[in-house]
Amino acid sequence: MLKIYVKASDLLASLRSDKRGVVSFEYVIVAAAIITAVGLAFSGTGIGGALTTAVSTVVTKLTTAMGGTGS
């Protein structure tokens, strides 16, 4: 039982110090900002509509994958 506790404690400690998830989330935020800027630049054209649809689809799928409701 003690071995399981030690392994669980070590695993939790490593998760707290792991920063890889934070960095990948920052990349998602930067990508969303770039997509938004490009979408605004091309708004009113077919490209703007396509980008809006693509971003909405990605946001919906991410929300669903993360178990959220979107609101």
Side-chain angles (χ1 to χ4, degrees):
M1 187 71 167
L2 181 61
K3 288 182 183 180
I4 295 172
Y5 174 76
V6 171
K7 285 184 180 183
S9 295
D10 289 344
L11 178 63
L12 289 174
S14 69
L15 285 174
R16 277 184 254 148
S17 64
D18 189 6
K19 304 294 184 206
R20 290 178 290 185
V22 174
V23 172
S24 63
F25 186 69
E26 290 170 350
Y27 283 128
V28 169
I29 292 172
V30 170
I34 291 171
I35 290 171
T36 302
V38 170
L40 289 173
F42 290 104
S43 62
T45 66
I47 292 174
L51 286 174
T52 302
T53 302
V55 169
S56 297
T57 302
V58 169
V59 169
T60 302
K61 289 187 184 226
L62 281 173
T63 304
T64 302
M66 294 172 56
T69 59
S71 55

